[in-house]
Amino acid sequence: MPSEFELIRRYFSRATSHTDLAGGDDAALMHTRPGMQLAVSTDLLVAGTHFFGDTDPHGLGWKTLAVNLSDLAAMGAEPRWAFLGLTLPTVDEGWLSSFADGLFACASRYGVDIAGGDTTRGPLALSITILGEVPTGLAITRCGGRAGDDIWISGQPGRAALGLASLQGKVSLSTTAQAECVGALQRPVPRIELGLELRTLASAMLDVSDGLLGDLGHIVECSGCGAIVDVSHLPLQPLLDLGVSEASARRSVLAGGDDYELLFCAPPRHRAALRQLAQDSGVALTRIGELHERDADLMLREADGRLLAPLFSGYDHFA
């Protein structure tokens, strides 16, 4: 059986492009570009909690990095370096090879150096610490929203939740629809390019990992605002076209996790620029509501104008 260091050398030591000293020493060495701040994030994926144990390892390698890239996208940061922590119950070299290929495919797509990490024996768990750069003062936080700002969502939220539900046998999808939704769950697309474009347009932003309403609550709390989400503006039709009920589509969009779309706020004066950005980027941007004064709380506006408190929120690991 190969040693820990042989596994790292064989599967996770590949050429880097902007790292002074990568894996193999006690620490990596890198330097930031002038005028930049570091943006740093970490995520942990655990078998049985975040993914099924039999998940395709190539897709899992991609997702392990992609969910961290999404955090940088939400800050308007450019990804640069990543460090992998890998806990393995056994050494399966076929699994490792496929996982590493998926990880490095994602790294190559977004210009990330895998600069180091660690492996150990234990229950299957995957952790990435990622570092990126953003021009000083241009990072987009969760706290910049102001009453009157529009609320926007990128792409098509809800597909990943339907993919998970289909794998759990909770919803029945056609073969084509299941492939689309499971693909969204297992191979998310981090909105890096969109995040960079939103630096001068968005007032507050985060990525949707635990459900739109639950994550919007973080912006509301941090920005000291209330929010109203217009149900009739939600992008439900693409999900209805997959054959699910309106109730299932609505819950998937509002409370489904693992979307990794960008949820952001922007002043109304940027509407035209955002519509142009959507057209130029090919990424749908949907205006779904607005921020209000604090006493408005977080509410849903039905098509008939009624304001209702949400009956569900997002995912909580400890709820």
Side-chain angles (χ1 to χ4, degrees):
M1 179 181 294
S3 69
E4 172 190 355
F5 301 105
E6 175 62 19
L7 288 176
I8 293 172
R9 186 198 65 76
R10 188 178 300 176
Y11 297 108
F12 299 105
S13 297
R14 305 194 187 184
T16 57
S17 60
H18 43 261
T19 305
D20 300 325
L21 178 64
D25 216 306
D26 291 301
L29 299 176
M30 66 272 291
H31 63 273
T32 57
R33 293 171 292 184
M36 294 288 191
Q37 288 180 297
L38 274 179
V40 185
S41 181
T42 190
D43 256 314
L44 180 65
L45 302 181
V46 179
T49 299
H50 301 96
F51 60 93
F52 296 108
D54 60 354
T55 297
D56 166 59
H58 190 280
L60 186 58
W62 174 282
K63 183 173 182 176
T64 299
L65 182 57
V67 300
N68 285 266
L69 288 169
S70 184
D71 286 332
L72 292 192
M75 302 289 290
E78 179 184 354
R80 300 278 281 167
W81 305 279
F83 296 84
L84 171 68
L86 181 60
T87 304
L88 298 168
T90 59
V91 175
D92 179 337
E93 293 200 58
W95 188 97
L96 272 173
S97 178
S98 183
F99 173 85
D101 286 346
L103 177 78
F104 280 97
C106 190
S108 176
R109 165 64 181 82
Y110 295 100
V112 177
D113 281 354
I114 305 298
D118 190 26
T119 61
T120 190
R121 183 186 296 274
L124 182 58
L126 317 162
S127 178
I128 290 279
T129 297
I130 195 159
L131 296 86
E133 294 177 324
V134 60
T136 300
L138 289 186
I140 310 167
T141 72
R142 303 176 177 190
C143 300
R146 297 292 179 264
D149 283 357
D150 295 325
I151 303 169
W152 298 76
I153 185 72
S154 71
Q156 182 54 63
R159 292 183 305 161
L162 288 175
L164 176 60
S166 71
L167 293 176
Q168 294 172 326
K170 295 179 180 180
V171 65
S172 178
L173 299 174
S174 70
T175 301
T176 301
Q178 183 178 44
E180 177 183 335
C181 292
V182 172
L185 171 69
Q186 296 184 343
R187 198 178 174 88
V189 177
R191 302 296 189 185
I192 294 293
E193 293 88 353
L194 179 62
L196 299 181
E197 293 292 337
L198 289 171
R199 283 174 179 167
T200 58
L201 297 172
S203 57
M205 185 160 67
L206 46 63
D207 67 327
V208 178
S209 56
D210 296 324
L212 190 156
L213 285 179
D215 288 325
L216 178 57
H218 299 314
I219 289 179
V220 165
E221 180 179 3
C222 194
S223 295
C225 295
I228 294 177
V229 173
D230 283 293
V231 174
S232 61
H233 292 178
L234 296 173
L236 300 182
Q237 191 58 51
L239 302 187
L240 298 176
D241 292 343
L242 297 177
V244 302
S245 68
E246 183 170 353
S248 181
R250 176 168 167 165
R251 186 178 186 92
S252 296
V253 168
L254 289 175
D258 267 352
D259 287 318
Y260 302 102
E261 295 291 355
L262 296 183
L263 178 67
F264 63 94
C265 304
R269 67 178 181 275
H270 291 324
R271 288 178 186 176
L274 288 166
R275 294 190 185 102
Q276 187 63 50
L277 175 58
Q279 181 175 327
D280 294 343
S281 67
V283 179
L285 297 178
T286 306
R287 183 164 55 91
I288 61 170
E290 64 275 336
L291 295 182
H292 289 263
E293 297 298 337
R294 182 64 179 175
D295 58 5
D297 226 354
L298 175 51
M299 306 290 286
L300 299 178
R301 181 186 287 126
E302 299 291 340
D304 61 8
R306 288 178 301 146
L307 291 178
L308 302 175
L311 297 177
F312 39 75
S313 183
Y315 180 76
D316 184 336
H317 288 281
F318 297 100

